[in-house]
Amino acid sequence: MIKYKKSADSETTVTEVVCPNDTNPMGILQGGRLVQWMDIASAVCAQNHAEKICVTASIDSVKFKMPAKVGDIITIKAKVTRVFNTSMEIHVVAWAKKIVSQKAYLINEAYFTFVALDDNAKATNVPQIKPSTLQEKKLFLSANTRRKSRLKF
Ligand SMILES: CC(C)(COP(=O)(O)OP(=O)(O)OC[C@H]1O[C@@H](n2cnc3c(N)ncnc32)[C@H](O)[C@@H]1OP(=O)(O)O)[C@@H](O)C(=O)NCCC(=O)NCCS
């Protein structure tokens, strides 16, 4: 197994368009639908990094910052911040863009943890991450604190 990989190699971008059946009675994108899209983006990212089937172990620090409306284009980016042993933390951000103004704004940010499974559905080790950019290094270092906090519960 390769010992180290770059997080840029598994960075995943997913694009969606908010349709009427994605919205609540207020006409804004349902939180659960957005989290579902973010879960899929981060699962693709985790599985491409691990080269294994991965399952969601936890979702935390989910912050709904702004609403999105019908017709908005949603872009979701998922990137591995750090690998522990069999688990990986994925940082996910979601942006909404208005078609006419082409203005984009951050609507959500969260951290997902995925666990890689072997052929017997047992947790299995994953290549480590070598952070390159300043932002990757910051997220790599702070991942330990977030892990401690999420494993408390
Ligand atoms: C996640 C799961 C595989 C962990 O299995 P387990 O037998 O408890 O495994 P372990 O206790 O050996 O832990 C394995 C890793 O998971 C991590 N983990 C377990 N529970 C966790 C949680 N709630 N949050 C974050 N990480 C968690 C452990 O810290 C460990 O990480 P490490 O190897 O990097 O140190 C298991 O609980 C499971 O299958 N859960 C259901 C997953 C699911 O159905 N997801 C939704 C559909 S994809």
Side-chain angles (χ1 to χ4, degrees), residues 50-55 86 115-124 126:
E51 299 176 23
K52 306 261 181 218
I53 298 294
C54 297
V55 288
T86 64
V115 175
L117 302 180
D118 66 15
D119 294 343
N120 299 311
K122 294 269 176 255
T124 186
V126 171

Side-chain angles (χ1 to χ4, degrees), residues 25-55:
M26 298 275 294
I28 61 174
L29 174 61
Q30 283 176 2
R33 185 60 54 92
L34 178 59
V35 171
Q36 180 191 13
W37 293 339
M38 292 167 75
D39 188 36
I40 292 168
S42 51
V44 171
C45 173
Q47 293 181 128
N48 277 333
H49 177 79
E51 299 176 23
K52 306 261 181 218
I53 298 294
C54 297
V55 288

Side-chain angles (χ1 to χ4, degrees), residues 39 54-58 83-88 113-115 117 121 123 125 147 150-151 153:
D39 188 36
C54 297
V55 288
T56 317
S58 71
V83 169
F84 298 100
N85 301 293
T86 64
S87 68
M88 288 148 278
T113 301
F114 280 81
V115 175
L117 302 180
N125 278 11
R147 172 178 161 92
R150 77 173 63 95
L151 291 180
F153 305 105

